Amino acid sequence: MVGMKFHPSRDLSAGVLLIAAPSPRPVDTKARLDFPVQEGQIRAEAVVRYIEPGNRLGFKFTAVIEQDSPHLAALLTRLRSLSRSRGKP
């Protein structure tokens, strides 16, 4: 399992995270994700589901540390609010 620390991109949903990675990982690679956000620390397990041009990896969350789940929910709420304020669906 690969460990990765990063700051999340705007491409985040309840189950999927899209990030730019310096070195792409093959599809189905398991990873431990650890990212600090203003809502608090978020630690999760994920698997690479797809690779986009430019070394962007699509991760699907497979587990989130229980005490970090509220942080993830708050982050998603904030990102949705930002998206709506910019006129995006």
Side-chain angles (χ1 to χ4, degrees):
M1 187 175 298
V2 176
M4 297 182 75
K5 289 190 174 203
F6 58 90
H7 292 282
S9 72
R10 291 186 322 227
D11 299 319
L12 176 67
S13 70
V16 178
L17 171 67
L18 183 63
I19 64 166
S23 55
R25 307 282 185 216
V27 170
D28 293 330
T29 299
K30 294 180 182 178
R32 269 183 254 132
L33 306 176
D34 183 355
F35 50 101
V37 292
Q38 70 185 42
E39 291 78 9
Q41 188 72 22
I42 299 174
R43 294 161 292 176
E45 292 181 4
V47 63
V48 176
R49 281 293 164 229
Y50 57 90
I51 303 168
E52 288 188 349
N55 294 338
R56 288 171 52 100
L57 301 177
F59 286 96
K60 178 168 178 46
F61 293 153
T62 56
V64 176
I65 301 294
E66 187 174 345
Q67 67 258 30
D68 296 351
S69 291
H71 303 158
L72 178 59
L75 173 63
L76 290 169
T77 298
R78 179 169 58 88
L79 293 175
R80 283 185 198 116
S81 174
L82 287 172
S83 180
R84 281 191 297 268
S85 69
R86 292 181 182 152
K88 297 178 184 175

